[in-house]
Amino acid sequence: MQRVDLLPALLRIARSVTDDDELSFAADTAFADIEDWDSLNHIHIVVAMEQTFGIRFADPARLQSVVKVQDLLDIVAELKGI
């Protein structure tokens, strides 16, 4: 997997978790602007990301600081070493 693959993979995960096939966002989208991205879905998305990407978000405080989709993608890229 390459860094460019992360956004489409996250979008697939988010669509599955929210059960919204029309959900769309870009890397520069703020989570506050994604209607279906609430706190409960955030937890489900993070768990699904860990399973899909084979990573572990060991520092929950770091996840609290993410504001945009790109922030989350950067963490995933770092954890995957890509």
Side-chain angles (χ1 to χ4, degrees), residues 34-82:
I34 304 172
E35 184 176 329
D36 291 329
W37 200 295
D38 59 22
S39 58
L40 183 58
N41 280 339
H42 181 82
I43 292 168
H44 290 291
I45 290 167
V46 165
V47 170
M49 290 174 68
E50 288 180 330
Q51 293 169 344
T52 300
F53 298 129
I55 58 172
R56 177 86 175 126
F57 293 104
D59 184 3
R62 188 164 180 204
L63 285 176
Q64 291 175 344
S65 68
V66 299
V67 176
K68 293 186 176 192
V69 171
Q70 186 63 54
D71 300 334
L72 188 55
L73 296 175
D74 289 342
I75 294 171
V76 172
E78 180 183 319
L79 291 173
K80 289 200 61 65
I82 55 174

Side-chain angles (χ1 to χ4, degrees), residues 9-23:
L10 175 57
L11 188 53
R12 282 191 300 276
I13 290 167
R15 285 177 176 168
S16 175
V17 168
T18 62
D19 197 30
D20 181 358
D21 292 335
E22 301 299 317
L23 181 66

